[in-house]
Amino acid sequence: MAFKIDITTLRQIYEKLKECYEVISPVYDNGVIQYRENPSFDAIPFGKTQIEYAGTYFVSDTEKNYISYVRPSNTLKNFLRPPQEVLYKVYKKDEKIYFESTHVKRPMAFFDVRKCDLKALSILDDVFINKNNYPDDYYKALRENIFIVAVNCSEVSNVCFCSSMNVDFNNDYMADIVLTELKDGFLLEVKTEKGKRLLEGLVLQEAKEDDIKEKNQVLTQTYTKIKKSINKENLKEDLYKKIDHPYWENIGIRCFGCSSCTQVCPTCFCFDIVERNSLDGSYSERVRVYDSCFNPTFATVHKFNLRDKISFRYRHWLLHKMAYWQDQFGDVGCVGCGRCITWCPAKIDIEVETNNVRDIL
């Protein structure tokens, strides 16, 4: 089921989403395009584009399309696995101790999700639910209450390499509706019953065969614009062979170990558990917080740090994405969104380093 809509109808769809969901969409603020809770359709950064290189990011105006930016700097995990998440609370009342679980069921609609982030969401689903013998109830509670409006990219950034990381442009993954910007409007494709129900009451014009053809042309043109790539053939085996190569030290000298890459990565999920207690002992809460394999204490056991050098931590991170993940889940753990490249203050490029380690050495 597909329709051709204009910007006015797109605004109406956004308003209908707000009736049932907390809408999360890209917003331009303080020089950065980020996913935020956004009650205003006008706050979506239409007419903006982002320029990205290793360690470089800025946003400028463009007259190309409404949706000319690539993807926000943050990811869906910020909402489905928030940086701080209270797991349960313990408190005293009437001389008794009570335990209260805090599963949050927050209906959220993600407006404008790109294929790389949809693929990342499918990876997180495997990690926390589908391929986990002990599914994460907190993630699942949030995950079951979302609506996804996906958007097919028509532009790419200089750091994108999703096409070589198993991101399928013709797969709409778990999107409820999918948008593609055309020359004179938008192609709206309905993928689920939930998507169909959202559109009830709207006057929509069915898409024509030429509209579908134009969408396919957009996908093809976008695919050809991506210049970076990683050859995955025998990637895991080749990386394992280089696990003791001195080139890792070369990277370790340049890497600050700041963990910026893991914070912006849509699939990194390392966490720590902390206890927060009131001074009078009447209240305590257990909180899950973001952690990173780049933190010096992450691999410390009984005072011994198993990865006491930055080069060891970078090697672990890259191998987890490109090799260990294949052993665990049958797929790579990287979607080629390029965020870790853009936001690395040392300008270290995972695509370059992976190819270097595997092919050049």
Side-chain angles (χ1 to χ4, degrees), residues 16-290:
K16 285 178 73 71
L17 280 173
K18 285 165 49 181
E19 294 173 4
C20 306
Y21 300 93
E22 178 184 320
V23 182
I24 313 293
S25 84
V27 170
Y28 177 62
D29 187 26
N30 287 323
V32 181
I33 295 174
Q34 286 191 310
Y35 280 123
R36 294 266 186 87
E37 181 183 347
N38 176 26
S40 172
F41 182 75
D42 294 324
I44 298 172
F46 292 137
K48 298 284 185 186
T49 187
Q50 67 214 64
I51 312 299
E52 296 183 70
Y53 296 97
T56 302
Y57 176 96
F58 60 92
V59 176
S60 64
D61 295 323
T62 179
E63 296 181 353
K64 280 186 178 179
N65 301 307
Y66 281 105
I67 305 175
S68 297
Y69 51 90
V70 178
R71 38 107 190 94
S73 57
N74 60 344
T75 71
L76 303 188
K77 81 173 181 184
N78 291 91
F79 303 91
L80 297 172
R81 273 299 292 273
Q84 296 191 43
E85 188 175 24
V86 177
L87 302 181
Y88 64 82
K89 303 173 182 177
V90 183
Y91 57 92
K92 285 183 179 177
K93 186 178 179 182
D94 300 329
E95 301 301 318
K96 294 182 179 178
I97 297 177
Y98 294 86
F99 291 80
E100 179 181 318
S101 180
T102 55
H103 290 81
V104 177
K105 294 186 177 180
R106 177 186 175 196
M108 292 181 285
F110 295 106
F111 185 91
D112 189 354
V113 181
R114 305 307 173 91
K115 291 291 170 67
C116 57
D117 284 336
L118 286 173
K119 171 70 177 179
L121 186 56
S122 73
I123 289 174
L124 291 182
D125 286 349
D126 282 347
V127 171
F128 295 124
I129 302 175
N130 301 331
K131 297 182 180 179
N132 191 324
N133 292 330
Y134 304 95
D136 187 317
D137 290 339
Y138 297 90
Y139 176 85
K140 192 176 178 182
L142 287 168
R143 179 69 181 83
E144 289 177 342
N145 288 282
I146 68 173
F147 188 100
I148 297 177
V149 179
V151 170
N152 283 316
C153 287
S154 58
E155 301 292 333
V156 303
S157 86
N158 294 304
V159 299
C160 292
F161 58 102
C162 59
S163 56
S164 62
M165 288 285 106
N166 294 343
V167 175
D168 184 355
F169 280 30
N170 293 305
N171 186 341
D172 296 314
Y173 297 95
M174 64 291 290
D176 294 295
I177 58 178
V178 181
L179 293 168
T180 306
E181 185 165 0
L182 307 178
K183 291 176 182 174
D184 58 348
F186 301 88
L187 179 70
L188 170 66
E189 296 174 277
V190 184
K191 298 296 179 180
T192 65
E193 282 299 316
K194 200 164 42 171
K196 189 177 177 181
R197 287 196 298 272
L198 178 76
L199 303 179
E200 289 176 355
L202 294 177
V203 179
L204 300 171
Q205 174 190 340
E206 281 196 28
K208 298 177 182 176
E209 190 175 338
D210 285 347
D211 299 323
I212 305 297
K213 285 181 180 176
E214 187 179 343
K215 170 220 166 179
N216 292 331
Q217 288 172 354
V218 169
L219 296 184
T220 302
Q221 289 169 1
T222 303
Y223 189 89
T224 58
K225 290 178 183 177
I226 298 173
K227 304 303 180 189
K228 295 173 77 67
S229 70
I230 292 175
N231 179 1
K232 295 194 303 304
E233 186 176 357
N234 299 322
L235 176 62
K236 181 182 70 171
E237 291 78 10
D238 288 342
L239 289 175
Y240 283 151
K241 290 176 185 173
K242 307 291 174 56
I243 200 165
D244 292 321
H245 198 282
Y247 185 76
W248 297 109
E249 293 296 330
N250 177 296
I251 303 174
I253 292 170
R254 290 177 281 137
C255 177
F256 300 149
C258 67
S259 82
S260 175
C261 50
T262 62
Q263 302 305 306
V264 296
C265 174
T267 63
C268 278
F269 59 86
C270 291
F271 62 89
D272 196 1
I273 301 290
V274 298
E275 308 286 347
R276 292 176 178 164
N277 306 314
S278 64
L279 291 177
D280 64 1
S282 64
Y283 176 80
S284 177
E285 60 185 22
R286 175 161 286 188
V287 186
R288 179 160 61 187
V289 298
Y290 281 4

